[in-house]
Amino acid sequence: MITFAIAFASICFGLGLLFNLWRVFNASGVTDRVLALDTMVINIIALLVLYGMSVGTGVYFEAALLFAMTGFVSTVAYCKFILRGDIIE
Amino acid sequence: MDQIFEILIAGLLIAAGIFGIVGSFGLIKLPETMTRLHAPTKASTLGVGGVLVASMIYFFVFEGKLSWHELLITLFIFLTAPITANFIAKAYMHRNLTPKDMPESNTARGWATYEDEAETQEPLMTKPKRP
């Protein structure tokens, strides 16, 4: 039963990733694109954790943690660059 | 006993998957950036939270080890999602909107994000006096 649930959740998050990709290519502005990339990072974290569950190792949590951190920092850096034209002043 | 935990984990995973796909679908369905901001930041956070809680229960029950990484990731995502949403909204406002588009702030001053740097305020903490 858990195997089917993991497969279902993986399909859901994979489809969500495709939706995000569509939005990255068809964005109405640069902030929209940043938002789609941020959502992509969140979906990828979910996919990594799901894969770790299906394999049964805890190694992928480290990768998920790294993804969460770099995703946050990159989104803030993008927004800061849009706002100020510079990242570290 | 294992059956109960299996049902719990499967339910959490399915709820998380539905939340995740609703959030990503809202990103392509809603009409403009300010409304689009609202779908992924809430729904995807709930989806990832559900997956992480399910993974925590799974590793505790079936592998017999309690791992705190999931809690750490959940805490981090819950902390950072509002900050990124706020940043994206601020960048959008400064690129696409003017102060005339905003509603009244109902205070003596305007919205803080549009205030000029030239209009200096009295600092809350006074500067230390040089001897």
Side-chain angles (χ1 to χ4, degrees), chain B residues 10-102:
Chain B
L12 270 173
L13 280 178
I14 287 173
I18 289 171
F19 269 120
I21 203 168
V22 163
S24 294
F25 185 65
L27 186 73
I28 63 167
K29 187 179 183 299
L30 291 173
E32 56 186 13
T33 305
M34 278 311 219
T35 48
R36 272 203 283 272
L37 198 60
H38 136 101
T41 45
K42 287 184 191 70
S44 294
T45 310
L46 269 179
V48 176
V51 169
L52 290 165
V53 169
S55 149
M56 210 169 157
I57 299 171
Y58 177 82
F59 277 98
F60 181 62
V61 173
F62 294 103
E63 309 273 327
K65 57 191 176 195
L66 189 59
S67 75
W68 295 102
H69 281 95
E70 291 97 328
L71 217 58
L72 215 60
I73 300 171
T74 317
L75 193 72
F76 195 79
I77 288 176
F78 271 54
L79 277 179
T80 56
I83 301 174
T84 53
N86 200 351
F87 250 108
I88 292 171
K90 192 172 175 180
Y92 176 78
M93 277 164 68
H94 276 273
R95 280 181 69 86
N96 299 47
L97 302 177
T98 56
K100 288 194 179 64
D101 297 330
M102 307 302 292

Side-chain angles (χ1 to χ4, degrees), chain A residues 11-22:
Chain A
I11 290 169
C12 281
F13 280 108
L15 265 178
L17 210 56
L18 282 180
F19 289 162
N20 296 156
L21 201 63
W22 189 85

